Amino acid sequence: MKRTFWKEAVVYQIYPRSFQDSNGDGIGDLQGIISRLDYLQKLGVDVVWLSPVYKSPNDDNGYDISDYEDIMDEFGTLKDWEQLLTGLHDRGIKLMMDLVINHSSDEHQWFVESRSSKDNPYRDYYIWRPGGPNGERPNNWSSIFSGPAWELDETTGEYYLHLFSRKQPDLNWDNPKLREELYKMITFWLDKGVDGLRMDVINLISKAEGLPSFQIEGEAPEELAWGGDYFMNGPRVHEFLHEMNQKVLSGYDIMTVGETPGASVEDAVLYTDEDREELQMVFQFEHMDVDSGPGGKWDVAPWTLTKLRDILHKWQIGQADKGWNSLYLNNHDQPRMVSRFGDDGKYRIISAKMLATLLHTLKGTPYIYQGEEIGMTNVKFTTLEDYKDIEILNMYRENVTEGGADHETILNAIHVKGRDNARTPMQWDASANAGFSEGEPWLKVNPIYKEINVEQALADSDSIFYYYQELIALRKKNPIMVYGEYKLLLPDHENLYAYTRTLDDEQWLILLNFNEAPQTVDLSAELSTVTDLIIGNYPDESPTREILRPYEARVYRLQS
Ligand code: NOJ
């Protein structure tokens, strides 16, 4: 396997709105990030992925861009951004920008032109369709943020497609002029020295020809339906990605990761096989659905390790020879991983370290989401007014206000799955607003901040922070963590995830207990060849190798 910097890197995601405010307006900004660069360097990460900082009316916190070549007012200026880039580079850290090109904001100049008349030169930059004979919508697709995916625009009497909010019209990738325009914009950033791109919902850019309705048996054809089959991994997506690669990306030594909801392992291999020249890795979502019932994301169901491991294992095997995995358990769209897959009570620290061990010892590139390295937890706001996320608010309105669902049930689903869990401000210290801002934060701070914060973590040599630091440092010294072959052990165990990594004549054994009860490790052959403990999440070594304590993680070196 070819050795590359992006396989070896550890990425740290910053959600700028919630990271650090420098001017007291309650909103994180670029100068705030700049003031925390030493912290990132101390952690040891190689790349920072910055969620969008472009000009935006913030209907979806920057994922609705009104000017791709300028910075959002609340965050600062292009000069601040350049200072950030230099500050990162001075510390040996690369910068990965978020690229949101499935849609723009409806306030982008292209859309302002596009909606102004049917024969405007920008009309075909977006996806417009006339209504049916009685003014019906062009098809029955629902938007990912609730309601229909079509909005009637009074000016020309036609509908435009928006897979997300109505302020996020989808761009028409079938139009070569639009594609050229996007490539020019990407070149603008790459020429400034950007080192990587995270591409937002990039597998949604090609829609099925004719935009067919999704017919559910027994339902009226106009009933709203999930049309994913007609826009996820669509007919021309590989052609478009290869074109973008050839026309722009291949000219730079950069890292690319595509966000690809609904991509199977087979799809992912097509996206990331190096010979195909599209992307380097994707964010897959299969493991993010382990706690969803038949009703989808908000239909909260219990997850099991068996299910989670089966999925992760499938992806490890599926991309063993071709393609490359990204490794993540949370980001700005997902609840906090320690609350979801660990224990955010008694075993918070131990279980957060166990999950970190998983993320850094599977094969792939680990992504750390801000606050994960101090074990930040989900938040439980009790009034809806405290939530700011458009996905949450639309979903609540559709289900409770309009649909009559039970408030408590939906609030509970928000507590478990809502995106604002990950977006509460970074907890820096025990002072007012957790040291995030001197003003009132745009989203309330998690009330637990006096206990869980960076200052506390840095002062405790046994903290989650230092465990991450150790894992990252280990990875730099041990190519086996990056390139070693993965092999699953104990495939039927309900609470243990066990595997080996092997590179040349070196072999490591990874043991992870996902349960609060101690577990017996039935691996006598492997355990009899242990030479030493490389890293573990308990301060002392267990008196017996055969027992893993609650949420214990151990990485052993085996005799070759
Ligand atoms: C995925 C992003 O991660 C999410 O935050 C956003 O709402 C949607 N794409 C739409 O851009």
Side-chain angles (χ1 to χ4, degrees):
M1 179 160 283
K2 214 164 73 200
R3 298 197 171 193
T4 60
F5 86 82
W6 48 269
K7 290 178 186 147
E8 295 168 14
V10 173
V11 184
Y12 186 93
Q13 182 191 353
I14 291 183
Y15 193 67
R17 209 174 175 76
S18 302
F19 193 64
Q20 175 70 68
D21 178 21
S22 72
N23 62 359
D25 66 357
I27 298 173
D29 49 43
L30 295 177
Q31 283 302 331
I33 300 174
I34 291 166
S35 72
R36 296 295 185 180
L37 291 182
D38 289 342
Y39 171 74
L40 299 177
Q41 188 177 28
K42 189 176 170 91
L43 185 58
V45 294
D46 306 286
V47 179
V48 161
W49 152 26
L50 202 56
S51 277
V53 293
Y54 315 95
K55 273 228 180 339
S56 164
N58 281 306
D59 193 48
D60 185 20
N61 289 353
Y63 284 92
D64 49 319
I65 297 170
S66 54
D67 185 345
Y68 285 99
E69 298 185 8
D70 206 350
I71 301 294
M72 188 190 300
D73 293 333
E74 292 97 319
F75 290 174
T77 62
L78 257 178
K79 244 181 99 204
D80 295 322
W81 179 86
E82 264 150 20
Q83 194 188 335
L84 170 63
L85 182 68
T86 309
L88 284 165
H89 284 173
D90 285 350
R91 290 167 178 79
I93 303 174
K94 294 180 187 288
L95 177 61
M96 178 192 260
M97 294 287 276
D98 215 311
L99 192 63
V100 188
I101 49 178
N102 172 69
H103 44 268
S104 74
S105 162
D106 65 338
E107 296 181 34
H108 192 290
Q109 197 51 37
W110 297 338
F111 191 76
V112 173
E113 294 278 346
S114 185
R115 79 184 338 169
S116 67
S117 75
K118 285 189 194 169
D119 55 10
N120 186 282
Y122 289 90
R123 185 68 168 179
D124 285 341
Y125 274 41
Y126 295 87
I127 302 174
W128 292 96
R129 292 290 182 278
N134 301 311
E136 306 93 324
R137 291 181 202 104
N139 70 27
N140 68 350
W141 298 354
S142 55
S143 146
I144 293 163
F145 287 162
S146 304
W150 292 94
E151 179 75 5
L152 180 64
D153 195 51
E154 298 296 338
T155 318
T156 57
E158 287 194 338
Y159 287 91
Y160 65 87
L161 179 70
H162 61 91
L163 293 180
F164 293 89
S165 95
R166 60 167 70 97
K167 287 185 65 62
Q168 293 168 298
D170 280 57
L171 290 160
N172 177 19
W173 274 72
D174 285 321
N175 179 354
K177 260 174 63 193
L178 177 265
R179 301 205 299 277
E180 285 306 323
E181 193 100 52
L182 291 175
Y183 302 156
K184 239 176 43 207
M185 174 274 287
I186 298 169
T187 306
F188 167 85
W189 288 103
L190 293 177
D191 285 345
K192 284 192 175 295
V194 162
D195 310 286
L197 298 166
R198 175 269 186 189
M199 302 188 190
D200 192 69
V201 290
I202 200 67
N203 64 329
L204 308 192
I205 57 178
S206 167
K207 279 79 176 172
E209 211 176 317
L211 309 176
S213 276
F214 187 81
Q215 182 61 54
I216 305 178
E217 251 187 56
E219 297 255 6
E222 64 277 7
E223 201 66 36
L224 287 187
W226 170 242
D229 284 359
Y230 298 121
F231 55 75
M232 295 191 310
N233 312 303
R236 298 184 70 189
V237 69
H238 293 291
E239 174 198 335
F240 294 154
L241 289 177
H242 183 66
E243 179 186 275
M244 173 160 52
N245 181 301
Q246 294 305 287
K247 289 199 166 172
V248 195
L249 311 178
S250 59
Y252 303 82
D253 182 20
I254 54 159
M255 166 167 187
T256 56
V257 53
E259 188 202 27
T260 56
S264 65
V265 188
E266 294 73 32
D267 293 321
V269 170
L270 295 177
Y271 289 125
T272 66
D273 174 356
E274 286 178 65
D275 294 337
R276 291 175 51 88
E277 298 171 314
E278 294 184 18
L279 301 170
Q280 291 162 349
M281 63 189 108
V282 297
F283 289 130
Q284 59 98 358
F285 279 70
E286 238 186 298
H287 66 309
M288 291 288 111
D289 289 332
V290 286
D291 49 4
S292 299
K297 168 170 178 170
W298 302 105
D299 177 15
V300 179
W303 65 278
T304 62
L305 174 65
T306 311
K307 238 161 113 186
L308 178 68
R309 182 187 50 213
D310 282 356
I311 296 168
L312 295 176
H313 173 67
K314 181 171 78 180
W315 282 80
Q316 288 289 300
I317 297 301
Q319 296 200 104
D321 304 319
K322 277 186 191 309
W324 187 251
N325 278 294
S326 66
L327 305 167
Y328 77 97
L329 288 176
N330 52 199
N331 58 37
H332 66 294
D333 292 330
Q334 301 292 338
R336 290 283 177 183
M337 81 179 189
V338 70
S339 300
R340 192 178 192 182
F341 299 114
D343 170 6
D344 61 9
K346 182 171 170 199
Y347 294 111
R348 184 182 67 86
I349 294 175
I350 286 290
S351 68
K353 291 178 181 176
M354 185 276 289
L355 295 169
T357 314
L358 172 77
L359 289 169
H360 292 259
T361 58
L362 282 176
K363 190 169 176 183
T365 300
Y367 286 75
I368 303 169
Y369 178 65
Q370 68 183 42
E372 174 187 325
E373 76 283 10
I374 56 164
M376 278 177 62
T377 52
N378 281 352
V379 71
K380 287 187 173 155
F381 295 136
T382 49
T383 55
L384 194 69
E385 289 65 49
D386 286 339
Y387 287 99
K388 304 289 173 218
D389 174 23
I390 182 167
E391 184 190 35
I392 293 179
L393 299 178
N394 285 1
M395 183 280 290
Y396 184 92
R397 194 186 58 229
E398 187 170 85
N399 283 282
V400 183
T401 321
E402 292 163 6
D406 173 48
H407 164 82
E408 285 305 322
T409 311
I410 297 296
L411 192 65
N412 178 56
I414 294 170
H415 289 165
V416 179
K417 291 285 195 71
R419 304 197 297 184
D420 279 343
N421 280 307
R423 299 177 179 187
T424 58
M426 183 74 181
Q427 292 153 210
W428 293 104
D429 57 40
S431 71
N433 300 328
F436 163 70
S437 174
E438 282 171 7
E440 190 188 335
W442 71 277
L443 177 67
K444 280 193 174 150
V445 171
N446 189 325
I448 203 158
Y449 74 91
K450 291 206 168 123
E451 192 183 316
I452 304 173
N453 61 62
V454 168
E455 192 175 55
Q456 182 284 329
L458 293 180
D460 174 4
S461 61
D462 198 28
S463 69
I464 303 169
F465 177 90
Y466 289 115
Y467 192 79
Y468 269 82
Q469 192 187 51
E470 200 180 335
L471 281 168
I472 297 166
L474 266 181
R475 193 180 163 88
K476 294 211 163 64
K477 282 192 243 115
N478 295 280
I480 187 174
M481 289 174 81
V482 182
Y483 298 107
E485 189 194 335
Y486 156 97
K487 186 168 161 252
L488 180 65
L489 303 171
L490 303 173
D492 300 318
H493 203 293
E494 282 181 13
N495 296 312
L496 286 184
Y497 192 175
Y499 46 96
T500 53
R501 301 288 306 277
T502 308
L503 186 67
D504 304 325
D505 54 2
E506 196 174 357
Q507 186 164 59
W508 289 14
L509 170 68
I510 294 96
L511 301 173
L512 308 166
N513 179 4
F514 273 74
N515 199 276
E516 61 179 23
Q519 306 291 321
T520 304
V521 188
D522 199 3
L523 287 171
S524 45
E526 284 80 2
L527 288 176
S528 68
T529 69
V530 165
T531 60
D532 58 306
L533 179 70
I534 294 162
I535 188 168
N537 61 347
Y538 273 75
D540 56 323
E541 213 171 319
S542 172
T544 151
R545 285 199 179 132
E546 280 71 28
I547 306 285
L548 279 193
R549 290 167 284 185
Y551 293 105
E552 184 160 15
R554 276 189 236 149
V555 181
Y556 285 125
R557 193 186 319 273
L558 303 184
Q559 234 160 42
S560 51

